[in-house]
């Protein structure tokens, strides 16, 4: 049985029964049978369904947002924004996706895109709708079908996603939420009816899924952790950079793979940035996620809060200094104050971990070479944000940062149009854009 715990109050919420072995088999068989029919539908039919799913997200936006807020603690405003983004993704693939599936002609050959079968998605709790929709929308348009193993604490969100597809008129086996625990994933990956797997989550989870997929010789996409740099150079608009740095660090209570986690600031503006950034972080209001005045809600669970508190102790033991914040707030709920760490030793293992909470690490860079070296000095390579109005600096960052994504003079954010993913220990493969659509399709070459 899965029982959600409201991280804002600590009170138990809805309960969802774990699927039995027979129930899992029924759903996998249904997925395979549905795929045999869905693969034969034309692209226009699939696109029309995506439009209808988007309409369901619009019509149920407030209810969907409240479920997410109750289950993982994000502010209601953030949850509503997430639901709106999901609707936009369905519409993007409905409107732009068919062109991405057009055949491509070569001398004496044609390359065509074809669906491959049921795709298993193992997804996290931090963006309980958006993370899923990033795989879900292109899967449906491709002619594949989806099976979701969602995080234990957001089973209500998983059930709601399946409900939206059914309400839009999709067949029952097109997208199914599997209320199962992680120990059932390896067997599913090994099942011959599952053709591929995609995971968003931790390094540890990614290694387990990749190992299981490798044994079964199946395609896998991994979107893992990140310790994204936020680099500010003297030519930047400093006030705007500070404003966006605060938002980038505390959005979703710091629980995002592409949250800016390491602020790397040029020495010439370091002191001014620190003063302004400190004021912004201290102004962050942690409170009831249903209250419009709350800047951020609680962490997703008491367990997650204890994880971050434990990491902060390790930072301080390693010689880092916590300027302020990083405290468990009194009362009910898994709340924590926003804070800033300085003097973080780069040669210590803790500096190479992902800090999944509202705590920023601040580093001083003497020049652009130092900034790039600091940015690349971690095993992750997901995203980054660079702030400069110097064309040569921009070119250097674009060439030399070891990441999958760079936002220039903006906070990094995902969108349906652009490919999303990283390098190094942040994973491999891409979601979104045309590349996310093609990941689990068969590119078939027809000669003659």
């Amino acid at each position: 049985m899965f029982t959600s715990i409201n991280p804002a109050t600590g009170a138990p919420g809805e309960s969802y029964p774990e699927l039995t072995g027979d129930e899992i088999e029924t759903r996998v068989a249904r997925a395979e049978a549905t795929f045999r029919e869905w693969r034969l539908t034309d692209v226009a039919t699939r696109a029309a369904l995506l439009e209808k799913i988007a309409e369901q997200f619009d019509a149920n936006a407030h209810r969907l947002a409240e479920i997410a807020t109750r289950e993982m603690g994000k502010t209601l405003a953030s949850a509503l924004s997430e639901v709106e983004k999901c609707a936009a993704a369905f519409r993007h693939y409905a409107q732009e996706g068919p062109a991405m599936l057009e055949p491509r002609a070569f001398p004496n050959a044609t390359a065509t895109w074809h669906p491959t079968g049921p795709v298993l998605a193992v997804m996290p709790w931090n963006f309980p709708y958006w993370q899923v929709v990033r795989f879900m929308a292109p899967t449906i348009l491709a002619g594949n079908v989806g099976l979701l193993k969602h995080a234990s604490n957001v089973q209500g969100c998983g059930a709601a996603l399946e409900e939206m597809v059914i309400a839009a008129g999709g067949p029952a086996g097109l997208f199914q939420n599997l209320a199962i625990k992680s120990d059932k994933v390896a067997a599913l990956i090994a099942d011959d009816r599952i053709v591929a797997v995609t995971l968003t989550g931790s390094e540890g989870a990614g290694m387990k899924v990749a190992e299981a997929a490798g044994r079964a010789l199946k395609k896998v996409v991994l979107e893992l952790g990140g310790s994204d740099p936020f680099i500010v150079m003297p030519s930047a608009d400093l006030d705007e950079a500070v404003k966006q740095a605060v938002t980038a660090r505390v959005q979703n209570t710091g629980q995002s793979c592409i949250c800016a986690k390491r602020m790397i600031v040029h020495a010439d503006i370091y002191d001014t940035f620190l003063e302004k950034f400190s004021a912004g972080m201290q102004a962050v209001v942690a409170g009831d996620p249903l209250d419009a005045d709350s800047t951020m809600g609680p962490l997703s669970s008491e367990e997650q809060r204890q994880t971050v508190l434990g990491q902060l102790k390790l930072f301080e033991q390693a010689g880092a200094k916590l300027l302020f914040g990083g405290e468990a707030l009194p009362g009910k709920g898994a709340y924590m104050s926003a804070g800033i760490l300085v003097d973080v030793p780069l040669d210590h293992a803790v500096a190479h971990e992902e800090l999944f909470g509202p705590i920023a690490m601040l580093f001083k860079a003497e020049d652009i070479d130092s900034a790039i070296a600091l940015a690349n000095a971690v095993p992750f390579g997901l995203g980054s944000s660079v702030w400069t109005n110097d064309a040569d600096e921009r070119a250097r960052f674009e060439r030399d940062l070891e990441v999958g994504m760079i936002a220039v003079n903006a906070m990094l954010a995902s969108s349906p149009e652009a490919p999303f993913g990283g390098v190094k220990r942040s994973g491999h493969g891409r979601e979104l854009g045309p590349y996310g659509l093609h990941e689990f399709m068969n590119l078939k070459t027809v000669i003659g």
Side-chain angles (χ1 to χ4, degrees):
M1 185 71 70
F2 299 100
T3 300
S4 64
I5 303 296
N6 188 331
T9 64
E14 297 292 327
S15 293
Y16 303 88
E18 183 179 357
L19 295 182
T20 65
D22 287 344
E23 289 170 329
I24 295 171
E25 168 57 29
T26 296
R27 293 195 173 220
V28 174
R30 184 188 299 149
E32 183 187 37
T34 300
F35 169 67
R36 298 301 169 194
E37 297 295 327
W38 187 248
R39 63 183 286 271
L40 301 177
T41 60
D42 56 48
V43 174
T45 297
R46 302 172 201 163
L49 178 61
L50 293 184
E51 290 278 9
K52 292 177 181 177
I53 296 173
E55 292 171 3
Q56 289 298 318
F57 271 75
D58 291 339
N60 294 277
H62 205 274
R63 178 169 67 89
L64 292 172
E66 286 186 334
I67 295 171
T69 296
R70 288 197 306 268
E71 289 195 325
M72 59 73 57
K74 66 173 61 209
T75 64
L76 184 61
S78 174
L80 283 166
S81 177
E82 182 176 341
V83 173
E84 292 170 4
K85 192 172 184 178
C86 291
F90 285 114
R91 290 195 170 96
H92 169 73
Y93 278 107
Q95 296 163 12
E96 307 297 332
M100 303 173 194
L101 298 178
E102 289 291 329
R104 181 174 176 182
F106 297 91
N108 200 38
T110 303
T112 55
W113 294 104
H114 297 268
T116 53
V119 178
L120 173 65
V122 181
M123 291 290 134
W125 45 259
N126 56 337
F127 291 92
Y129 299 123
W130 176 239
Q131 299 278 16
V132 178
V133 169
R134 293 191 329 207
F135 115 90
M136 179 182 176
T139 290
I140 291 173
L141 184 70
N144 294 325
V145 303
L147 293 162
L148 169 66
K149 186 277 173 203
H150 219 329
S152 298
N153 59 329
V154 289
Q155 286 300 310
C157 293
L161 285 162
E162 182 175 346
E163 177 194 336
M164 295 301 102
V165 177
I166 299 299
L174 184 60
F175 177 85
Q176 299 176 87
N177 178 54
L178 302 180
I180 59 174
K181 294 179 180 177
S182 298
D183 60 2
K184 301 295 193 300
V185 169
L188 281 171
I189 294 174
D191 193 305
D192 289 339
R193 293 167 293 185
I194 305 295
V195 299
V197 58
T198 179
L199 173 138
T200 298
S202 67
E203 287 181 83
M207 285 186 280
K208 290 178 181 178
V209 164
E211 181 182 2
R215 285 198 301 269
L217 293 177
K218 292 181 180 178
K219 180 70 177 290
V220 60
V221 168
L222 301 175
E223 195 270 278
L224 307 178
S227 188
D228 286 7
F230 188 102
I231 304 172
V232 187
M233 301 298 285
S235 63
D237 180 336
L238 186 58
D239 287 337
E240 182 62 20
V242 169
K243 177 183 175 183
Q244 295 300 323
V246 174
T247 301
R249 180 68 287 237
V250 303
Q251 63 166 328
N252 214 39
T253 319
Q255 301 167 121
S256 169
C257 53
I258 58 170
C259 272
K261 299 179 178 72
R262 295 178 297 135
M263 311 299 167
I264 299 172
V265 184
H266 193 282
D268 291 353
I269 56 172
Y270 179 88
D271 290 340
T272 303
F273 180 91
L274 176 57
E275 179 182 356
K276 293 175 178 288
F277 185 53
S278 295
M281 292 288 280
Q282 288 172 321
V284 171
V285 178
D288 184 350
L290 296 174
D291 187 339
D293 292 330
S294 298
T295 310
M296 66 180 187
L299 290 158
S300 64
S301 64
E302 179 58 31
E303 180 183 9
Q304 181 60 25
R305 181 166 72 167
Q306 291 303 318
T307 295
V308 176
L309 290 172
Q311 286 179 295
L312 289 178
K313 288 182 180 178
L314 292 175
F315 271 104
E316 292 185 294
Q317 290 171 5
K321 181 181 179 182
L322 184 63
L323 294 181
F324 60 83
E327 299 175 336
L329 299 179
K332 295 180 179 179
Y335 294 97
M336 172 181 281
S337 56
I340 297 177
L341 279 166
V342 296
D343 300 333
V344 177
L346 292 175
D347 58 349
H348 197 282
V350 73
H352 294 170
E353 293 181 2
E354 182 176 28
L355 194 50
F356 224 52
I359 310 298
M361 290 177 273
L362 188 58
F363 299 87
K364 182 186 294 185
E366 295 302 323
D367 51 28
I368 189 170
D369 293 327
S370 172
I372 291 171
L374 283 166
N376 292 339
V378 295
F380 299 109
L382 188 55
S384 59
S385 178
V386 298
W387 292 77
T388 176
N389 285 307
D390 183 297
D392 291 337
E393 288 177 349
R394 173 175 178 149
R396 280 288 312 280
F397 287 128
E398 290 181 5
R399 186 190 70 186
D400 294 339
L401 287 180
E402 298 169 353
V403 295
M405 300 171 286
I406 301 175
V408 181
N409 295 327
M411 183 181 79
L412 183 63
S414 58
S415 67
E417 300 85 2
F420 183 99
V423 295
K424 298 163 68 172
R425 296 183 75 85
S426 288
H428 53 248
R430 291 295 182 266
E431 298 175 304
L432 302 173
Y435 303 98
L437 175 60
H438 295 155
E439 280 284 5
F440 298 125
M441 298 192 75
N442 175 21
L443 181 58
K444 185 180 295 184
T445 300
V446 181
I447 299 173

